[in-house]
Amino acid sequence: MPELLRALTERRAQRAFAPEPVSDELLGLLWQAVSLAPSHGNTQPTRILVPATAEQRKALDDALSEGNRGWATAAPVLAALASIPEHSKPAENRDGTLRELWAFNSGIALGNLMAQGTELGLIAHPMAGFDEPSVRAVFGVPGDVRILAVIAIGYPGDPSTLPPDLREKETAPRQRLPLDRLVVRGQWTEQHGESARGPGKRRG
Amino acid sequence: MPELLRALTERRAQRAFAPEPVSDELLGLLWQAVSLAPSHGNTQPTRILVPATAEQRKALDDALSEGNRGWATAAPVLAALASIPEHSKPAENRDGTLRELWAFNSGIALGNLMAQGTELGLIAHPMAGFDEPSVRAVFGVPGDVRILAVIAIGYPGDPSTLPPDLREKETAPRQRLPLDRLVVRGQWTEQHGESARGPGKRRG
């Protein structure tokens, strides 16, 4: 197995952080990985938001959902990932219908960041559970800019420091679609349309 | 510089392919990288569509924009990346407004695939220029499933085989936002909201 794939396989949505800070040099490598991500028309719609003061960091902690505050506030670094829809012209189909690409492009950038973090031995755990207007307020971000993730960054710590329910999640076997349900060879079947979370879990 | 970042730095949106086929084993590693990508609520909304016959491959070639047909038809493998919005529950802000995450999640998966391709010495060049209804028709994909990219995959070839305008693109210096325009430290400024393509290029 190639090294990166092994690292990706080992990467888990870890929640236990060591107290060690992450150097500016390593953080710079993560931001560089974002910068190198390709984007439709090279519009580069992604921005990274990093608190500059303890007050800002506290305000970003407070913007998290209750569940995420239970572990992510212990991460030495918390950063938000923003995307600017206005910069990204939608792709056009032959019938004139459109495809928006800004969120997809920003996802590629986060994929790059996470792969880079994995290679550096860092946790880079993205969260969707946060209040977007509160995150905008922390950094003075205009309302037309979307916040797509808050990312907890740090070195892996001791899972026994986590509450029991999160400790269990940390070590539970990884659930992934088998490749024959992920990859469509020739013809889409009903099985390919089934949710990874089960038939009763649409929009769940 | 860490190995992956060097590889990401060297990765270009290459268009010149060698005629060598890509083994099923290597393609499997790319699909595995997609499978390992994290998703909000582990909904795994991404699917990969691979032509099973020469007729299907030709039909996928025909779904590309004219510009992309000029080079991508020479790639030994062409695959489409689909995303299923219905599987992905939007995240909710405190005021009840929603954040859709399926396209963002599928972008993370493509970021993983591209990083894995880069490590394997493969080109994996995603395109936005294609007709979505035509790609759906090739694989019999339902209308509520979105096609976000068609990806040209293969080994790097000889750029001198490309038409002159594309050859120039292949070797032109990479244009990326400087990190101080990508990373917001503390406070969003007007400069952070400027498009990477220049002030006159909004939605461009």
Side-chain angles (χ1 to χ4, degrees), chain A residues 90-99, chain B residues 130-133 146:
Chain A
E92 198 172 333
N93 296 313
R94 288 173 193 159
D95 62 5
T97 55
L98 299 176
R99 242 175 302 131
Chain B
F130 58 84
D131 185 52
E132 200 177 356
R146 302 302 307 262

Side-chain angles (χ1 to χ4, degrees), chain B residues 55-138:
Chain B
E55 288 70 28
Q56 273 197 321
R57 166 58 195 260
K58 175 68 171 64
L60 189 54
D61 284 351
D62 291 345
L64 296 177
S65 68
E66 202 186 324
N68 285 331
R69 278 200 301 275
W71 59 271
T73 52
V77 179
L78 216 55
L81 185 147
S83 190
I84 312 178
E86 184 63 25
H87 288 193
S88 181
K89 191 178 173 182
E92 198 171 333
N93 295 313
R94 288 173 191 160
D95 62 6
T97 55
L98 300 175
R99 242 174 302 130
E100 289 284 356
L101 290 164
W102 52 275
F104 184 54
N105 283 175
S106 290
I108 300 174
L110 177 57
N112 260 16
L113 181 154
M114 294 183 71
Q116 184 54 76
T118 299
E119 193 199 30
L120 296 172
L122 292 169
I123 301 174
H125 185 153
M127 294 167 272
F130 58 84
D131 185 52
E132 200 177 356
S134 300
V135 175
R136 282 200 199 97
V138 173

Side-chain angles (χ1 to χ4, degrees), chain B residues 158-181:
Chain B
D158 178 1
S160 74
T161 60
L162 291 171
D165 54 327
L166 293 180
R167 202 184 314 153
E168 223 167 89
K169 275 195 184 179
E170 196 99 349
T171 51
R174 183 200 288 273
Q175 302 286 347
R176 287 294 187 267
L177 278 179
L179 284 190
D180 61 349
R181 286 184 55 195

Side-chain angles (χ1 to χ4, degrees), chain A residues 28 31 40 101 107 126 138 169 181:
Chain A
W31 315 150
H40 169 52
L101 290 163
V138 173
K169 276 195 185 181
R181 286 182 56 195

Side-chain angles (χ1 to χ4, degrees), chain A residues 16-36:
Chain A
F17 289 93
E20 279 78 31
V22 180
S23 71
D24 284 345
E25 193 195 349
L26 286 201
L27 290 175
L29 295 175
L30 296 182
W31 315 150
Q32 220 175 314
V34 168
S35 138
L36 291 169

